[in-house]
């Protein structure tokens, strides 16, 4: 039954000649409505087939807005350019999770709570020390966050708002500690404990790089650049890792386990792992003179131009523009990366070449971020950890929205079955006789 003055789709099933009216709401039709289209009443109805969910909305969300054609990104309605210019990561985390900017008192309380939850149980440190010396930091981060769920079993009570709040605070607070310790582990250096007198970004840098000095001091231009990168990476609506967090979260598991699933998805080279892949690609190209040959290889399908392309942005990723500007500030301090000229040449050629223009492939958030991370003395395997830390705020905002959304159910998609049917099983003895 179509609701009054709603838009609708009239569909004719040519198999039966029957017409169906499907209501159009917010530019979508409910896939479950397709199930009413049947050849015979007791047979199966139609379903939608959409590998990779390229044209499927999984939820209603008020957190992040993206217009891929216009290169627009807004967190709770605020343009990313303004937030990157004037906000802090913890203010943006508050905005994403609570839906509005904090008052001074709320902000001070939020910063205080997070600052005083940066320590982790000593057993987690022991757990992390059990990894091989060359364990990838993302593997360590994924496992350690999952392990945190065993230290806070009450976090399974996901409908208790008070309880949920303290778990969100713990996760946002402890991600830099776990990320820094994974880095120190790979370097064979002692783990540095949090310093509660430092800001979120400064404290992270201190846990990464402090050695014998009593107090870590970072150049404030580098701290600000890291803060901006955290803001830019905080959320991005229904990307692969957020979909993983929502899908796992739909089983009503605790938030640590759901975030651990997000870290696993982000690890992949087509998603958050692309920033690491970009740097390795630039190092492999080696010089500007080799760029043309590399581009030929990409067009022949021999490889991908990592850091280019996006499922949603069919224009320049607005974050890439901001990161490129932030890299200038960092290079003022650290000196320009020799890989920058290769990246600039790649971008120049790709933006003019028909292969990329036709496919609307532009630099994405990962194309320039790796150059900043390299300049900040991070090894490539740490780059995706630097993505996961801020994205935890977005994952948690999306997780809370999922838990509170009455329309949501456990994620359990259909399939198109292509295998064998009703075969007779022959026991081993007979099969092998
Ligand atoms: C992130 O979703 C998000 O929001 C993610 C993210 C976030 O903040 O969470 O923005 C972060 O993951 C950014 C993307 C980082 N990944 C990369 O930079 C890896 C390289 N890019 C791609 O592999 C690709 O562009 C994706 C994965 C990002 C998007 O893949 P789609 O939308 O499934 O597009 P596709 O693979 O179907 O490609 C369409 C066409 C294909 O050509 P044809 O087969 O039609 O001839 O474009 C080609 C692809 O071969 N193509 C590329 C390419 N990306 C797509 N060709 C060369 N180089 C590339 N980078």
């Amino acid at each position: 039954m179509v609701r009054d003055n709603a838009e609708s789709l009239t569909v004719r099933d040519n198999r039966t000649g029957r017409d169906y009216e499907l209501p159009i709401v917010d530019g979508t039709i409910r896939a479950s409505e397709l199930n009413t289209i049947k050849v015979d009443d007791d047979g199966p109805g139609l379903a939608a087939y959409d590998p990779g969910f390229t044209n499927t909305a999984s939820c209603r969300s008020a957190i992040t807005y993206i217009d891929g054609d216009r290169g627009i990104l807004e967190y709770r309605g605020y343009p990313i350019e303004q937030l990157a210019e004037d906000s802090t990561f913890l203010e943006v985390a508050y905005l994403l999770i609570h839906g509005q900017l904090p008052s001074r008192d709320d902000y001070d309380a939020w910063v205080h709570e997070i600052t005083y939850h940066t320590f982790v149980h000593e057993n987690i440190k022991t757990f992390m020390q059990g990894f091989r010396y060359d364990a990838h930091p993302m593997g360590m981060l994924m496992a350690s966050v999952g392990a945190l769920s065993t230290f806070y079993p009450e976090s399974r009570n996901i409908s208790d708002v008070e309880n949920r709040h303290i778990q969100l605070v713990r996760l946002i607070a402890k991600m830099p500690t776990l990320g820094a310790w994974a880095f120190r582990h790979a370097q064979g250096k002692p783990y540095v404990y949090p310093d509660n007198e430092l800001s979120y970004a400064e404290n992270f840098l201190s846990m990464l790089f402090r050695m014998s000095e009593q107090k870590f001091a970072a150049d404030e231009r580098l701290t600000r650049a890291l803060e901006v990168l955290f803001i830019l990476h905080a959320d991005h609506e229904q990307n692969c890792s957020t979909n993983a967090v929502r899908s796992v979260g739909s089983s009503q598991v605790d938030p640590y386990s759901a975030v651990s699933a997000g870290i696993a998805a982000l690890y992949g080279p087509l998603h958050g792992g692309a920033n690491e892949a970009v740097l390795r690609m630039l190092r492999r190209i080696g010089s500007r003179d080799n760029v043309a040959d590399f581009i030929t290889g990409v067009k022949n399908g021999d490889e991908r131009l990592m850091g280019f392309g996006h499922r949603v942005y069919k224009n320049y990723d607005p974050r890439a523009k901001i990161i490129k500007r932030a890299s200038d500030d960092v290079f003022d301090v650290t000196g320009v990366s020799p890989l920058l000229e290769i990246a600039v040449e790649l971008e120049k050629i790709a933006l003019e070449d028909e292969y990329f223009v036709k496919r609307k492939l532009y630099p994405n958030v990962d194309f320039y971020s790796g150059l900043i991370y390299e300049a900040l003395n991070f090894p490539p395997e740490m780059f995706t950890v630097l993505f996961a830390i801020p994205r935890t705020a977005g994952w948690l905002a999306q997780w809370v929205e999922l838990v509170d959304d009455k329309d949501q159910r456990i994620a359990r998609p259909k399939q198109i079955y292509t295998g064998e049917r009703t075969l007779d099983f022959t026991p081993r003895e007979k099969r092998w006789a």
Side-chain angles (χ1 to χ4, degrees):
M1 180 57 190
V2 177
R3 282 177 281 183
D4 296 340
N5 70 31
E7 298 173 321
S8 71
L9 209 57
T10 302
V11 175
R12 167 160 300 166
D13 183 346
N14 292 320
R15 301 172 298 177
T16 60
R18 271 188 238 152
D19 287 352
Y20 298 82
E21 283 234 355
L22 307 180
I24 297 172
V25 178
D26 297 326
T28 66
I29 57 164
R30 282 187 85 102
S32 54
E33 297 273 348
L34 295 172
N35 199 29
T36 60
I37 302 176
K38 301 183 174 194
V39 173
D40 42 280
D41 290 348
D42 55 5
L46 287 184
Y49 176 54
D50 187 7
F53 313 126
T54 56
N55 191 39
T56 294
S58 63
C59 63
R60 290 175 176 279
S61 179
I63 298 171
T64 292
Y65 174 76
I66 301 174
D67 179 327
D69 293 327
R70 295 181 180 79
I72 293 172
L73 169 58
E74 296 171 353
Y75 292 161
R76 296 286 187 181
Y78 293 95
I80 191 67
E81 294 79 4
Q82 295 179 31
L83 294 171
E85 185 67 30
D86 297 317
S87 188
T88 67
F89 168 68
L90 288 184
E91 183 177 46
V92 165
Y94 184 99
L95 170 67
L96 288 168
I97 289 170
H98 296 91
Q100 75 273 338
L101 290 169
S103 65
R104 172 181 288 282
D105 291 349
D106 289 342
Y107 182 68
D108 291 347
W110 176 248
V111 172
H112 179 83
E113 272 196 294
I114 286 170
T115 302
Y116 284 84
H117 281 89
T118 46
F119 275 73
V120 294
H121 193 292
E122 279 294 290
N123 288 11
I124 288 282
K125 180 179 165 189
T126 310
F127 172 79
M128 293 183 79
Q129 286 169 330
F131 283 90
R132 263 174 62 105
Y133 66 92
D134 60 352
H136 196 292
M138 278 298 279
M140 292 181 71
L141 189 64
M142 177 193 342
S144 309
V145 170
L148 276 180
S149 69
T150 66
F151 287 81
Y152 306 108
E154 72 281 6
S155 63
R156 288 199 286 269
N157 184 4
I158 61 174
S159 54
D160 176 333
V161 176
E162 284 287 301
N163 172 41
R164 216 156 64 184
H165 172 77
I166 186 59
Q167 311 307 341
L168 301 180
V169 165
R170 282 175 174 145
L171 267 160
I172 292 171
K174 296 176 191 319
M175 284 296 281
T177 309
L178 299 177
W181 286 8
F183 173 68
R184 298 288 284 203
H185 180 84
Q187 303 229 322
K189 291 176 183 165
Y191 294 8
V192 174
Y193 285 92
D195 178 343
N196 291 345
E197 290 173 7
L198 300 178
S199 72
Y200 192 82
E202 283 171 327
N203 178 42
F204 179 51
L205 289 171
S206 169
M207 293 188 288
L208 287 160
F209 299 120
R210 185 158 71 86
M211 293 306 286
S212 58
E213 69 271 32
Q214 276 311 304
K215 198 79 175 169
F216 179 81
D219 183 302
E220 61 183 29
R221 288 169 294 179
L222 302 184
T223 307
R224 181 62 199 162
L226 191 60
E227 187 99 36
V228 169
L229 284 160
F230 278 6
I231 289 170
L232 295 175
H233 285 84
D235 191 57
H236 211 241
E237 56 128 287
Q238 305 312 313
N239 57 82
C240 177
S241 53
T242 295
N243 182 62
V245 170
R246 279 180 170 263
S247 179
V248 168
S250 74
S251 72
Q252 298 189 353
V253 77
D254 67 270
Y256 299 94
S257 305
V259 167
S260 181
I263 296 170
L266 192 71
Y267 195 178
L270 291 189
H271 190 13
N275 52 21
E276 177 180 348
V278 167
L279 202 91
R280 297 189 192 284
M281 172 186 75
L282 294 175
R283 286 179 174 169
R284 191 155 46 85
I285 293 169
S287 94
R288 264 185 64 179
D289 305 338
N290 302 333
V291 166
D293 286 348
F294 178 82
I295 290 283
T296 304
V298 170
K299 289 159 67 175
N300 293 338
D302 302 338
E303 49 194 312
R304 289 215 154 189
L305 178 51
M306 301 311 275
F308 261 69
H310 200 278
R311 172 65 56 78
V312 177
Y313 288 123
K314 300 310 173 189
N315 198 323
Y316 214 102
D317 184 331
R319 301 168 295 177
K321 285 181 192 163
I322 299 168
I323 288 173
K324 197 170 171 189
R325 277 202 305 275
S327 67
D328 298 339
D329 300 340
V330 170
F331 294 146
D332 282 349
V333 178
T334 63
V336 180
S337 161
L339 298 175
L340 178 65
E341 65 170 4
I342 300 173
V344 169
E345 181 68 7
L346 268 174
E347 176 185 353
K348 178 173 164 296
I349 293 181
L351 293 185
E352 293 161 359
D353 187 295
E354 180 52 24
Y355 176 93
F356 300 93
V357 172
K358 189 173 79 167
R359 292 169 176 80
K360 297 187 178 180
L361 302 177
Y362 292 88
N364 59 47
V365 67
D366 292 310
F367 189 61
Y368 284 106
S369 54
L371 292 177
I372 294 184
Y373 296 145
E374 185 204 35
L376 294 175
N377 286 324
F378 290 107
E381 52 275 4
M382 271 296 287
F383 292 4
T384 312
V385 170
L386 295 165
F387 195 148
I389 291 169
R391 185 53 60 90
T392 299
W395 288 332
L396 290 170
Q398 300 275 349
W399 174 77
V400 168
E401 194 174 62
L402 162 89
V403 171
D404 289 343
D405 184 346
K406 299 287 172 277
D407 213 15
Q408 289 297 329
R409 306 170 67 185
I410 187 166
R412 204 271 180 236
K414 286 178 175 281
Q415 65 173 12
I416 297 172
Y417 181 67
T418 59
E420 301 285 348
R421 291 292 322 282
T422 58
L423 299 176
D424 287 325
F425 176 72
T426 308
R428 287 184 305 289
E429 301 69 34
K430 286 190 179 168
R431 280 205 320 271
W432 299 338

